[in-house]
């Protein structure tokens, strides 16, 4: 990503949102420190995602991690479509910085067909309001294009499992 894009995006946020992003960057620093101190490999290691969920004070449904392979990209989104966590496998594929992913919602970062977007919205809504269990994604393999990068990197995306994540009160807080 472009440093000037990040600074412009950050500068346009209100004070509360800026503080939230700084806290999320601190969270990422903690995830990295924990990965190193526990000698996790970072890449291809679901323990990093497990730690991040715990650190975010979220709870996953039973059996979720049995459906995730070490080599999978793991992304966690809040109710506003902001990516609050992505594992290191995800970082290997995209050119966006952590800051860009924290500032912009997924629909501001990636271009997809209207059909794919509709299915994605439907499955996000299902994760937030219609289920308490992980489910197999019905989003077909599709081309995803980075909107805010100079080269507009393209890649093929396949979602495997989508799951709600709960706060300590049991309410769906992320997916």
């Amino acid at each position: 990503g472009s440093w000037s894009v990040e600074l412009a995006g950050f500068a346009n946020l209100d004070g509360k949102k800026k503080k939230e992003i700084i806290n999320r960057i601190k969270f990422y620093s903690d995830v990295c420190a924990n990965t190193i101190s526990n000698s996790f490999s970072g890449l291809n290691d679901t323990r990093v995602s497990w730690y991040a969920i715990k650190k975010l004070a979220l709870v996953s449904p039973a059996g979720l991690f049995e459906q995730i392979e070490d080599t999978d990209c793991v992304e966690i989104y809040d109710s506003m479509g902001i990516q609050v966590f992505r594992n290191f496998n995800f970082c290997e594929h995209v050119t966006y910085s952590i800051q860009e992913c924290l500032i912009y919602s997924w629909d501001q970062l990636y271009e997809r067909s209207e059909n794919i977007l509709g299915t994605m919205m439907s499955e996000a809504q299902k994760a937030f309001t219609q289920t308490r269990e992980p489910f197999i994604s019905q989003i077909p393999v599709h081309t995803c294009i980075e909107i805010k990068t100079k080269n507009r990197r393209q890649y093929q995306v396949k979602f495997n499992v989508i799951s709600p994540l709960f706060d300590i009160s049991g309410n769906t807080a992320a997916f």
Side-chain angles (χ1 to χ4, degrees), residues 28 43 72-75 83 85-98 101 146 153:
Y28 259 95
L43 288 174
D72 286 344
C73 293
V74 175
E75 305 170 72
Q83 189 181 69
F85 173 76
R86 85 273 317 128
N87 68 355
F88 298 118
N89 296 350
F90 179 86
C91 294
E92 283 282 293
H93 298 286
V94 300
T95 58
Y96 287 125
S97 68
I98 289 172
C101 290
E146 292 180 349
R153 185 171 184 184

Side-chain angles (χ1 to χ4, degrees), residues 108-172:
Q108 294 173 308
L109 294 172
Y110 305 103
E111 180 180 312
R112 296 175 165 101
S113 73
E114 289 299 318
N115 183 43
I116 294 295
L117 285 173
T119 305
M120 289 176 71
M121 295 299 285
S122 175
E123 290 199 357
Q125 182 179 15
K126 178 178 178 180
F128 265 98
T129 62
Q130 299 170 10
T131 186
R132 298 190 58 81
E133 300 295 327
F135 58 94
I136 303 300
S137 176
Q138 299 303 307
I139 302 167
V141 175
H142 62 279
T143 299
C144 178
I145 304 167
E146 292 180 349
I147 296 171
K148 293 187 178 293
T149 57
K150 181 179 176 182
N151 297 329
R152 294 180 50 89
R153 185 171 184 184
Q154 296 184 28
Y155 28 81
Q156 293 295 302
V157 176
K158 169 68 175 122
F159 292 97
N160 295 327
V161 175
I162 297 177
S163 178
L165 298 170
F166 310 106
D167 63 21
I168 56 172
S169 301
N171 299 313
T172 303

Side-chain angles (χ1 to χ4, degrees), residues 6 35-36 42 44 46 54 56 59 75 105 131 137 155 169 174:
E6 292 174 44
T35 299
I36 292 166
N44 304 324
T46 57
K54 183 174 130 180
L56 289 165
V59 177
E75 305 170 72
S105 63
T131 186
S137 176
Y155 28 81
S169 301

Side-chain angles (χ1 to χ4, degrees), residues 35 38-50 69-72 87-89:
T35 299
N38 285 299
S39 300
F40 296 160
S41 65
L43 288 174
N44 304 324
D45 196 329
T46 57
R47 294 176 293 183
V48 175
S49 298
W50 178 256
E69 301 291 325
D70 278 345
T71 56
D72 286 344
N87 68 355
F88 298 118
N89 296 350

Side-chain angles (χ1 to χ4, degrees), residues 21-80:
I21 289 171
I22 290 169
N23 287 335
R24 288 184 177 173
I25 291 170
K26 289 177 184 176
F27 157 77
Y28 259 95
S29 176
D30 185 60
V31 169
C32 292
N34 181 270
T35 299
I36 292 166
S37 68
N38 285 299
S39 300
F40 296 160
S41 65
L43 288 174
N44 304 324
D45 196 329
T46 57
R47 294 176 293 183
V48 175
S49 298
W50 178 256
Y51 175 78
I53 288 172
K54 183 174 130 180
K55 185 75 178 165
L56 289 165
L58 298 172
V59 177
S60 63
L64 173 61
F65 277 84
E66 294 168 12
Q67 298 180 53
I68 300 173
E69 301 291 325
D70 278 345
T71 56
D72 286 344
C73 293
V74 175
E75 305 170 72
I76 299 175
Y77 289 89
D78 67 13
S79 62
M80 301 304 295

